[in-house]
Short mmCIF file of all heavy atoms in Angstrom, two decimals:
data_model
loop_
_atom_site.label_atom_id
_atom_site.label_comp_id
_atom_site.label_asym_id
_atom_site.label_seq_id
_atom_site.Cartn_x
_atom_site.Cartn_y
_atom_site.Cartn_z
N TRP A 11 19.69 4.58 -1.68
CA TRP A 11 18.34 4.22 -1.24
C TRP A 11 17.96 5.00 0.01
O TRP A 11 16.83 5.45 0.14
CB TRP A 11 18.17 2.70 -1.05
CG TRP A 11 18.60 2.12 0.26
CD1 TRP A 11 19.75 1.46 0.50
CD2 TRP A 11 17.88 2.12 1.50
NE1 TRP A 11 19.81 1.05 1.81
CE2 TRP A 11 18.67 1.44 2.45
CE3 TRP A 11 16.65 2.62 1.91
CZ2 TRP A 11 18.27 1.26 3.77
CZ3 TRP A 11 16.25 2.44 3.23
CH2 TRP A 11 17.06 1.77 4.14
N ASP A 81 8.02 -7.19 10.79
CA ASP A 81 7.54 -6.69 9.50
C ASP A 81 6.19 -7.28 9.14
O ASP A 81 5.33 -6.60 8.57
CB ASP A 81 8.54 -7.02 8.38
CG ASP A 81 9.88 -6.35 8.58
OD1 ASP A 81 9.89 -5.13 8.84
OD2 ASP A 81 10.92 -7.03 8.48
N ARG A 123 -13.38 -8.23 19.90
CA ARG A 123 -14.44 -7.37 19.38
C ARG A 123 -14.60 -7.53 17.87
O ARG A 123 -15.71 -7.77 17.38
CB ARG A 123 -14.12 -5.91 19.73
CG ARG A 123 -15.14 -4.91 19.24
CD ARG A 123 -14.81 -3.50 19.71
NE ARG A 123 -13.41 -3.17 19.56
CZ ARG A 123 -12.88 -2.66 18.43
NH1 ARG A 123 -13.63 -2.46 17.39
NH2 ARG A 123 -11.60 -2.36 18.37
#
Side-chain angles (χ1 to χ4, degrees):
W11 84 259
D81 297 312
R123 180 176 45 87

